[in-house]
Amino acid sequence: MERLAAQSERCLRLLREDAEWQDKTQQLLDLQEVLLDVQATGALTPIDPVLALLKPLAPHLTAMLGDIRSSVVKTTCSVLAAIATACGPDLAPFIDEILLGVLNTAYVKVRVMSSAGETCLETISKRSRYSLLLLQAHFAQTKHADVRHLCIAQFPFIMSSWLKPELDAQYATMKNMLAKALQDNDDKVRRKAREAFCMFSEIWDDHMDEFVLMPQRTTRESIIKEYPLSRLAQELRRKHGEPVPKRTPLKQRMATTPEASIASEESSDSVPPSPNTRATRPRPESKPITRSVSVPTTRPSVRPNIAFSSSMSSQSSDDVAIVDLDEELARRDEAESLHVASERTPQDVADDKAREGAKTTPRTISVPKQLMDTVVWVCTALSLLFAIYGLTGALWSVALLGSPSSAISLELQDVEDAVLTTLFEFRAHEAHMDAWVHDVAQTMDAYRRDASDQVARLHDANAVWNRSMRDDMAAFTAEFVAKIKFDPTPSESSSLRAP
């Protein structure tokens, strides 16, 4: 027990500190080893000292169950399972404190971590005990389907491992949880609840009349289909009869694919479709329409239109083949263009060359066009001359007269005067500010000189006061020493009396 106490103390001290995760997991493994050694010696019989040593570790173990490292979670789960196996049902107070941490491992999407939590909780449910009220509260408040499934998945282990008196004490809690789980939104939770409900009814068969009224119609049919040999399924058949399969309308059967029908038959809680549901039959795929025409199989050697008509009149219906109309028309156009090119005469070639030569020769410009261009050029030149003359006159007037001759010039002059006035005012304000700053500087200098004089006078007065104090102390000391009377010792007094 001393080894267990020392190891738990070291483990607690390391878990409280910000140590490396490798050190923490190693301390947990050492604690597991020490606990197994103590179990082998039979020193775990009084469980209260062990609980006192393990309870301080519960918050830190719960935090390690939520770690992001899979190695930490796996090691913590294995250590908790080993502790539960070693201590047995008496470890219930400690298990209640770490139960929610183990259940919350189902939140993690990493399969390694969630499977470690499932294995740990399975071992705890079989070997140890915990409060089902905590399990029920967590099942009711969580919104995660995997956590609810993990809660219900413990019922088969609990009912197969716990004693009958212990189960009787938890009858109401388990019944309420199963009633909610049978109507859960998630299919895997409902499936596990149906399995647990069958085992539950086998244990408390004296309440069978109450159990057959709990499930709804779809749940009853699923129980009868999945567990036909169970006692609950037999009682459901006797109470409600065999489930009547719903006949699917012919249109719906023809519209549904084989895969969909198989999937609908395999689903346990599926509701059969209503007869009013309309199903549309799949339409066959439409093929593209190809235009075709019957043409002779022999290729004509002369002009296409004449050859085509003659061959159509001479050929029989057995010598025709179906071809694409677009290809046939393109072939005819090409053959006709080649035929026309082959029938061109030398006169046609000469005419084409003459037309090309006429296109390349430049056209002569007419006389009216030349006159119009000349008039436009003269007008443009005169306009430029008048513009130059006007600009030159304006420049000379400004240069000689020196005064503006337009309203714009007057406005510019007014603006210039306003700018000069503003500049003069700014300069006056600047001079005023300079004078004010100079006065402030002189005042500050005067204050500084006065302060320096006051400090000097204070220093002199302090020196005088210190000197007077020293003189007074010296006079007082001399006076005090003068007033002191020394009393001689007896030996000295006898020596003085002897002569």
Side-chain angles (χ1 to χ4, degrees), residues 30-88:
D30 295 342
L31 178 64
Q32 175 184 347
E33 183 179 358
V34 172
L35 189 64
L36 294 178
D37 293 342
V38 174
Q39 180 193 10
T41 59
L44 291 178
T45 304
I47 199 64
D48 294 336
V50 179
L51 287 175
L53 295 175
L54 294 179
K55 271 193 172 183
L57 300 175
H60 305 286
L61 294 177
T62 304
M64 293 180 68
L65 288 172
D67 199 276
I68 61 175
R69 302 175 183 86
S70 59
S71 301
V72 176
V73 177
K74 288 172 60 178
T75 304
T76 307
C77 290
S78 64
V79 171
L80 288 176
I83 293 174
T85 304
C87 297

Side-chain angles (χ1 to χ4, degrees), residues 158-179:
I158 292 173
M159 289 184 287
S160 61
S161 302
W162 291 20
L163 300 177
K164 186 63 167 60
E166 296 174 342
L167 294 176
D168 290 337
Q170 306 293 337
Y171 170 77
T173 304
M174 298 177 68
K175 177 184 173 183
N176 293 333
M177 286 186 65
L178 287 174

Side-chain angles (χ1 to χ4, degrees), residues 411-482:
E411 291 179 0
L412 291 176
Q413 186 66 33
D414 294 339
V415 171
E416 184 179 0
D417 295 340
V419 170
L420 292 176
T421 304
T422 306
L423 181 61
F424 177 76
E425 292 177 355
F426 280 152
R427 288 179 178 176
H429 285 298
E430 184 179 1
H432 179 69
M433 289 296 296
D434 291 340
W436 182 79
V437 170
H438 182 68
D439 294 341
V440 170
Q442 289 181 351
T443 305
M444 292 297 295
D445 291 338
Y447 286 156
R448 190 180 298 108
R449 287 193 297 270
D450 293 341
S452 299
D453 295 340
Q454 293 291 338
V455 170
R457 286 195 296 271
L458 182 61
H459 181 71
D460 295 340
N462 190 17
V464 171
W465 185 80
N466 289 335
R467 188 165 49 252
S468 64
M469 287 295 295
R470 284 196 298 270
D471 295 341
D472 293 342
M473 287 298 297
F476 176 76
T477 303
E479 183 180 359
F480 182 75
V481 170

Side-chain angles (χ1 to χ4, degrees), residues 95-158:
I95 298 298
D96 290 341
E97 296 188 8
I98 55 97
L99 179 63
L100 298 184
V102 180
L103 288 173
N104 289 334
T105 55
Y107 281 105
V108 186
K109 297 300 182 182
V110 181
R111 186 56 188 165
V112 177
M113 303 168 71
S114 59
S115 61
E118 292 176 4
T119 306
C120 175
L121 192 56
E122 178 182 351
T123 305
I124 291 174
S125 299
K126 290 180 179 179
R127 299 301 183 90
S128 185
R129 302 291 184 268
Y130 50 84
S131 175
L132 292 186
L133 293 176
L134 293 175
L135 191 70
Q136 181 186 13
H138 198 62
F139 176 84
Q141 71 182 5
T142 185
K143 297 182 180 179
H144 204 280
D146 293 334
V147 179
R148 297 197 302 272
H149 178 265
L150 184 59
C151 293
I152 293 298
Q154 305 312 307
F155 276 34
F157 308 133
I158 292 173

Side-chain angles (χ1 to χ4, degrees), residues 248-256 273-282:
T248 307
L250 180 60
K251 291 183 179 180
Q252 188 172 356
R253 289 203 304 270
M254 295 180 64
T256 55
S274 61
N276 297 329
T277 305
R278 293 186 178 180
T280 58
R281 183 177 300 178

